[in-house]
Amino acid sequence: MSNTLESWLDKSADLLQFPKPKPLPESLSGVAKFDPEMLPLPIRGYIMDTAQRLQCPPEYCAVTSLTLLAGLVGHKVRLRPKQHDDWEVVATLWAALVGGPSAMKSPALSAMRFPIDAIEAAARRQHEEALRHYETEQELQELAKAEAKKKAKGFAAKGNMDAARATLESVDEIAPPPAPLRLTINDATVEKAGELMNSAECHLTILRDELAGWLAKMQQEEYASDRAFYLEAFNGDGRFTYDRIGRGTVAIERCALNIVGGIQPSKLAPIIRSATKGTANDGLIQRFQLAVWPDPVRHWKWIDRKPDPEAKEHYSQVFYRLHSLSLGTDEEDNPPCWHFTPDAQAMFVEWATEINLECRSDDVAPLLAEHLLKMPKTVGSLALLFAVIQNDEGEVSAAATARALEWADLLRSHAERLYSAALNRDVEGAKLIIKRREKLNHPTKPRDIQQKGWPGLDSANAVREALALLVDHGYLTEIETPTTGRPRIDYYWHPDYLPKQEGK
């Protein structure tokens, strides 16, 4: 209920009548601590060394590396998590590095991708050399064609058409070199991405410093068909066909994509909220299973040293080994399918049973439940990836599975933070209003706040929710001011929180 301006002035004269504002609730839930032992030994050293040198959360470096490595495993091997069922898991991972503008997301992405860049650079050089050879062969072919044409004319003049025809056909056509190897893309159309998928045994990985632009595009109605393509590409084992006037019909036999990029919480929150309202809840955002939003690194010191050369070399060699990995195919050109060892199978069954039962109860928020129900594929992908990295042969070991299940616990805590923060926007909005109250007039009007366009406060509803929370916790007093039309609601700060220009 609104107070009157007179009552607020009376109270402000005697501060004892103003109870102290109550602390606002926490909008961010806690996340599990990252344990370096969750990483296979060959990549652990360089990931932790890089995180220390960049002074960024190690989660950023870790999920970037795992996503890139999963792309190199590609279609070379799959996992059948059940002993008899034909359900297959393809190692596809989508990662989001969530944090503020200075959280070191982009440097972490850049530092972890160097082996992929080196492999692609070597492939481009090989392609350029093959192209030069092809151009030389083309010149020689033109000379051979000219000479054959001369001879064919002579045979034709004598009426020997068979000999003339044979002479022209004796010059072999030269095939151009295949397109250079691609492992990553940044901003390709789905048509081009499809062509690249068909020419690669590895999975393509979309690398983007900022995922916000890509996600915003996927929200638009004109990109509905693109969105369907990406939803299919997460599964990794589907077939996707598109028809275009310019390109004709292109059938992608193994539609699979990995994605990794950074995004700010304020850009991600509206997308999550739209999913809760059902306006865009087709599971796209829940596919970012490796979304991590770690606590920021608060301490900082000057660090100037070279990367650990041994750790860097071990890290790089894992990429080269997985890139050249060849496990063969069966008679129908299908890759091998591994199963869990008996111990690993028991661990996976126990965990999968617990999470499925929990998500089918009323104890988990619907959006979080949808996210968690996609996690068995993620755990399977990680277990398979860890098994390949640690040189398991034909089966996924208990060690690889245990490591994947540790990741499941970590990733769940980050998912809980992500969804709770997006849905508790009133808390973040209220904190921002307190922080920036010096930039507001006193009394404060909702319209003034909305016009500022501050993150999470750019709509009338968001501003109202944040102001209501501040009133409930005693930071503001809501006062109704009569006007010639509808009464106007103004907000007066608690005397302890008056903006400086008013408090002098």
Side-chain angles (χ1 to χ4, degrees), residues 145-189:
K145 280 184 177 180
E147 185 63 28
K149 193 173 182 180
K150 272 186 195 180
K151 291 181 181 178
K153 281 183 179 179
F155 287 126
K158 297 175 183 178
N160 190 349
M161 304 308 292
D162 289 341
R165 188 178 295 107
T167 301
L168 291 175
E169 292 175 351
S170 66
V171 180
D172 295 329
E173 291 294 326
I174 300 174
L181 171 74
R182 293 291 301 277
L183 299 174
T184 62
I185 56 176
N186 301 115
D187 188 22
T189 64

Side-chain angles (χ1 to χ4, degrees), residues 57 85 101 107 170 191 212 242 254 258 287 307 359 413 466:
D85 196 279
S170 66
E191 294 83 5
Y242 59 79
R254 292 170 175 172
N258 288 3
R287 281 165 165 76
C359 290
S413 71

Side-chain angles (χ1 to χ4, degrees), residues 418-438:
L418 199 64
Y419 292 120
S420 65
L423 300 179
N424 296 335
R425 65 174 178 177
D426 54 345
V427 179
E428 287 299 304
K431 290 180 178 179
L432 189 59
I433 291 172
I434 293 175
K435 183 178 180 181
R436 299 184 179 180
R437 65 187 184 279
E438 310 292 345

Side-chain angles (χ1 to χ4, degrees), residues 207-226:
L207 276 167
R208 295 189 66 114
D209 275 351
E210 270 297 336
L211 280 171
W214 182 82
L215 286 170
K217 187 171 76 170
M218 292 300 104
Q219 298 289 101
Q220 300 172 27
E221 189 174 345
E222 59 264 36
Y223 290 101
S225 61
D226 289 19

Side-chain angles (χ1 to χ4, degrees), residues 288-303:
F288 282 90
Q289 291 277 294
L290 268 64
V292 290
W293 186 357
D295 295 328
V297 176
R298 297 297 184 190
H299 58 274
W300 190 91
K301 63 180 180 179
W302 181 259
I303 296 177

